[in-house]
Amino acid sequence: MTKLSIRHRTTYSYRYPVLLAPHRLTIRPRESHDLLLVSHDIDVSPGATLNWSTDVFGNSIATASFAEPTASLAIDSAAVVDLRAANWPIFNIAVSAINYPFFYEQNEWKDLGALRDQQYPDPAKTLDRWVRGFVGGDTLSLLKDISAGIANRHMYLSREAEGTQAPVETLTKGSGTCRDFAVLFAEAARLLGFGARIVSGYLYNPARMLTGSRDSGTTHAWVDVFLPGAGWITFDPTNRSMGSANLIPVAVARDIAQTTPISGGFTGASDAFLAMNVAVDVMEL
């Protein structure tokens, strides 16, 4: 078990005072048998009223509402977690799903719903041809090979601009960020009939050896795939890894746009926005 402190600070600055619309905050770590949330606090400046809710995926959502105009906004999330995930996990996959292809049980198939559906068009079958080149052997090896294939074929390039590349674009460019690789992996898994969900959260990188962060921690994106018997199994194609060690989930969703940590707008002059800065620190206690 590893006890970690996570500090995630986001600041916005404006040329003139603006009236902030309600902001949606998806920054509370998501508890599971692999992760215990010891504490979590959000500090917002200027002061805001926080209303908590749970979305359709079970993520904790805080909505911050503001009363007065301001020329700056700071949202500071501080969490302490116990990370309990094994470094070398063993998954008890049902006998019926050990080899690919397999069939989900009827209720699982229904419940996975849109998490089985491709989210991006592939009219030239570019992704289809690429992912079917991995088919063969047992199910877990297939998924591991796809994850490794993404890391081996593509160069990791940090990108400050918002948005995510479509899977075919990532394949064509041969490069991307963790969120691009997560979307590519999820779409490839769905094309083969798997239920997959996008996960956003934090990467704990104490030795600074993992791809995606030069520091001890950063925001990160990866994928969970549902396999009968084992449940949701984590794959991080950016680092060719399987299992939740070094990963602190915050949100799971069908589409990566649904996992944005902070979203919201403002009313004011069209040139009012100056800058946004994000700082993340993940360290062992």
Side-chain angles (χ1 to χ4, degrees), residues 183-207:
V183 167
L184 173 56
F185 182 89
E187 195 75 351
R190 290 166 176 166
L191 191 151
L192 294 180
F194 293 99
R197 62 189 187 184
I198 304 287
V199 190
S200 70
Y202 305 102
L203 173 68
Y204 176 48
N205 187 18

Short mmCIF file of all heavy atoms in Angstrom, two decimals, residues 183-207:
data_model
loop_
_atom_site.label_atom_id
_atom_site.label_comp_id
_atom_site.label_asym_id
_atom_site.label_seq_id
_atom_site.Cartn_x
_atom_site.Cartn_y
_atom_site.Cartn_z
N VAL A 183 -7.73 6.83 -26.50
CA VAL A 183 -8.86 6.78 -27.43
C VAL A 183 -8.61 5.74 -28.51
O VAL A 183 -9.51 4.98 -28.88
CB VAL A 183 -9.09 8.18 -28.05
CG1 VAL A 183 -10.02 8.10 -29.25
CG2 VAL A 183 -9.65 9.13 -27.01
N LEU A 184 -7.39 5.67 -29.02
CA LEU A 184 -7.05 4.66 -30.03
C LEU A 184 -7.24 3.25 -29.48
O LEU A 184 -7.82 2.38 -30.14
CB LEU A 184 -5.61 4.87 -30.51
CG LEU A 184 -5.02 3.81 -31.45
CD1 LEU A 184 -5.89 3.62 -32.69
CD2 LEU A 184 -3.58 4.17 -31.84
N PHE A 185 -6.76 3.00 -28.28
CA PHE A 185 -6.89 1.66 -27.69
C PHE A 185 -8.36 1.31 -27.45
O PHE A 185 -8.80 0.19 -27.76
CB PHE A 185 -6.11 1.58 -26.37
CG PHE A 185 -6.15 0.22 -25.73
CD1 PHE A 185 -5.20 -0.73 -26.05
CD2 PHE A 185 -7.15 -0.13 -24.84
CE1 PHE A 185 -5.24 -2.00 -25.48
CE2 PHE A 185 -7.21 -1.38 -24.26
CZ PHE A 185 -6.24 -2.32 -24.59
N ALA A 186 -9.12 2.24 -26.88
CA ALA A 186 -10.53 1.96 -26.60
C ALA A 186 -11.29 1.67 -27.89
O ALA A 186 -12.09 0.74 -27.96
CB ALA A 186 -11.16 3.15 -25.88
N GLU A 187 -11.01 2.45 -28.93
CA GLU A 187 -11.72 2.25 -30.19
C GLU A 187 -11.32 0.92 -30.84
O GLU A 187 -12.16 0.22 -31.41
CB GLU A 187 -11.39 3.41 -31.14
CG GLU A 187 -12.32 3.53 -32.32
CD GLU A 187 -13.70 4.08 -31.96
OE1 GLU A 187 -14.01 4.23 -30.75
OE2 GLU A 187 -14.48 4.36 -32.88
N ALA A 188 -10.04 0.55 -30.73
CA ALA A 188 -9.59 -0.73 -31.27
C ALA A 188 -10.26 -1.89 -30.54
O ALA A 188 -10.70 -2.87 -31.16
CB ALA A 188 -8.07 -0.82 -31.17
N ALA A 189 -10.34 -1.79 -29.20
CA ALA A 189 -10.98 -2.84 -28.41
C ALA A 189 -12.46 -2.95 -28.76
O ALA A 189 -13.00 -4.06 -28.91
CB ALA A 189 -10.79 -2.56 -26.92
N ARG A 190 -13.14 -1.83 -28.91
CA ARG A 190 -14.56 -1.85 -29.25
C ARG A 190 -14.79 -2.44 -30.63
O ARG A 190 -15.78 -3.14 -30.86
CB ARG A 190 -15.12 -0.43 -29.17
CG ARG A 190 -15.22 0.11 -27.75
CD ARG A 190 -15.45 1.60 -27.72
NE ARG A 190 -15.63 2.10 -26.36
CZ ARG A 190 -15.58 3.38 -26.02
NH1 ARG A 190 -15.36 4.31 -26.95
NH2 ARG A 190 -15.75 3.76 -24.77
N LEU A 191 -13.90 -2.15 -31.55
CA LEU A 191 -14.04 -2.70 -32.90
C LEU A 191 -14.02 -4.23 -32.86
O LEU A 191 -14.70 -4.89 -33.66
CB LEU A 191 -12.91 -2.18 -33.78
CG LEU A 191 -13.01 -2.42 -35.29
CD1 LEU A 191 -12.32 -1.31 -36.07
CD2 LEU A 191 -12.40 -3.76 -35.68
N LEU A 192 -13.28 -4.81 -31.91
CA LEU A 192 -13.21 -6.26 -31.78
C LEU A 192 -14.32 -6.82 -30.89
O LEU A 192 -14.34 -8.02 -30.62
CB LEU A 192 -11.84 -6.67 -31.21
CG LEU A 192 -10.64 -6.38 -32.11
CD1 LEU A 192 -9.35 -6.83 -31.42
CD2 LEU A 192 -10.77 -7.06 -33.46
N GLY A 193 -15.23 -5.95 -30.43
CA GLY A 193 -16.38 -6.42 -29.67
C GLY A 193 -16.25 -6.31 -28.16
O GLY A 193 -17.14 -6.76 -27.44
N PHE A 194 -15.17 -5.72 -27.65
CA PHE A 194 -14.99 -5.56 -26.21
C PHE A 194 -15.76 -4.34 -25.70
O PHE A 194 -15.92 -3.35 -26.41
CB PHE A 194 -13.51 -5.39 -25.87
CG PHE A 194 -12.66 -6.59 -26.11
CD1 PHE A 194 -11.89 -6.68 -27.26
CD2 PHE A 194 -12.61 -7.63 -25.20
CE1 PHE A 194 -11.09 -7.78 -27.50
CE2 PHE A 194 -11.81 -8.74 -25.42
CZ PHE A 194 -11.05 -8.83 -26.58
N GLY A 195 -16.17 -4.40 -24.44
CA GLY A 195 -16.66 -3.21 -23.75
C GLY A 195 -15.46 -2.48 -23.17
O GLY A 195 -14.63 -3.07 -22.46
N ALA A 196 -15.34 -1.19 -23.47
CA ALA A 196 -14.18 -0.42 -23.01
C ALA A 196 -14.62 0.96 -22.56
O ALA A 196 -15.56 1.55 -23.14
CB ALA A 196 -13.14 -0.29 -24.13
N ARG A 197 -13.97 1.49 -21.55
CA ARG A 197 -14.26 2.84 -21.08
C ARG A 197 -12.96 3.63 -20.92
O ARG A 197 -11.92 3.07 -20.58
CB ARG A 197 -15.02 2.81 -19.74
CG ARG A 197 -14.26 2.17 -18.59
CD ARG A 197 -15.15 1.98 -17.36
NE ARG A 197 -14.39 1.53 -16.20
CZ ARG A 197 -14.92 1.22 -15.02
NH1 ARG A 197 -16.24 1.28 -14.86
NH2 ARG A 197 -14.16 0.83 -14.01
N ILE A 198 -13.03 4.93 -21.19
CA ILE A 198 -11.90 5.83 -21.04
C ILE A 198 -11.78 6.20 -19.56
O ILE A 198 -12.79 6.43 -18.88
CB ILE A 198 -12.09 7.10 -21.87
CG1 ILE A 198 -12.31 6.75 -23.35
CG2 ILE A 198 -10.90 8.04 -21.70
CD1 ILE A 198 -11.10 6.27 -24.07
N VAL A 199 -10.56 6.29 -19.06
CA VAL A 199 -10.31 6.69 -17.68
C VAL A 199 -9.37 7.89 -17.67
O VAL A 199 -8.37 7.90 -18.39
CB VAL A 199 -9.69 5.55 -16.86
CG1 VAL A 199 -9.66 5.91 -15.37
CG2 VAL A 199 -10.43 4.24 -17.08
N SER A 200 -9.69 8.88 -16.86
CA SER A 200 -8.78 9.99 -16.64
C SER A 200 -8.42 10.05 -15.17
O SER A 200 -9.19 9.64 -14.30
CB SER A 200 -9.40 11.32 -17.08
OG SER A 200 -10.44 11.69 -16.20
N GLY A 201 -7.23 10.55 -14.89
CA GLY A 201 -6.78 10.64 -13.51
C GLY A 201 -5.35 11.12 -13.44
O GLY A 201 -4.96 12.03 -14.18
N TYR A 202 -4.57 10.47 -12.58
CA TYR A 202 -3.19 10.90 -12.36
C TYR A 202 -2.23 9.72 -12.52
O TYR A 202 -2.56 8.58 -12.19
CB TYR A 202 -3.03 11.49 -10.96
CG TYR A 202 -3.98 12.62 -10.68
CD1 TYR A 202 -5.12 12.41 -9.90
CD2 TYR A 202 -3.77 13.88 -11.20
CE1 TYR A 202 -6.01 13.43 -9.64
CE2 TYR A 202 -4.65 14.92 -10.95
CZ TYR A 202 -5.77 14.70 -10.17
OH TYR A 202 -6.66 15.71 -9.93
N LEU A 203 -1.06 10.02 -13.02
CA LEU A 203 0.04 9.06 -13.13
C LEU A 203 1.04 9.36 -12.03
O LEU A 203 1.56 10.47 -11.94
CB LEU A 203 0.70 9.19 -14.50
CG LEU A 203 1.98 8.37 -14.73
CD1 LEU A 203 1.67 6.88 -14.76
CD2 LEU A 203 2.67 8.80 -16.02
N TYR A 204 1.32 8.37 -11.18
CA TYR A 204 2.34 8.50 -10.15
C TYR A 204 3.65 7.96 -10.71
O TYR A 204 3.74 6.80 -11.09
CB TYR A 204 1.93 7.72 -8.90
CG TYR A 204 2.97 7.71 -7.80
CD1 TYR A 204 3.58 8.89 -7.40
CD2 TYR A 204 3.32 6.53 -7.16
CE1 TYR A 204 4.52 8.89 -6.39
CE2 TYR A 204 4.26 6.52 -6.15
CZ TYR A 204 4.86 7.69 -5.76
OH TYR A 204 5.80 7.68 -4.77
N ASN A 205 4.66 8.81 -10.78
CA ASN A 205 5.90 8.50 -11.50
C ASN A 205 7.11 8.82 -10.64
O ASN A 205 7.91 9.72 -10.97
CB ASN A 205 5.92 9.31 -12.81
CG ASN A 205 7.05 8.94 -13.73
OD1 ASN A 205 7.65 7.88 -13.60
ND2 ASN A 205 7.36 9.82 -14.67
N PRO A 206 7.29 8.11 -9.50
CA PRO A 206 8.34 8.50 -8.56
C PRO A 206 9.75 8.40 -9.11
O PRO A 206 10.63 9.20 -8.76
CB PRO A 206 8.14 7.51 -7.39
CG PRO A 206 7.45 6.33 -8.01
CD PRO A 206 6.56 6.91 -9.07
N ALA A 207 10.01 7.42 -9.98
CA ALA A 207 11.36 7.26 -10.55
C ALA A 207 11.54 8.09 -11.82
O ALA A 207 12.62 8.09 -12.42
CB ALA A 207 11.63 5.79 -10.84
#
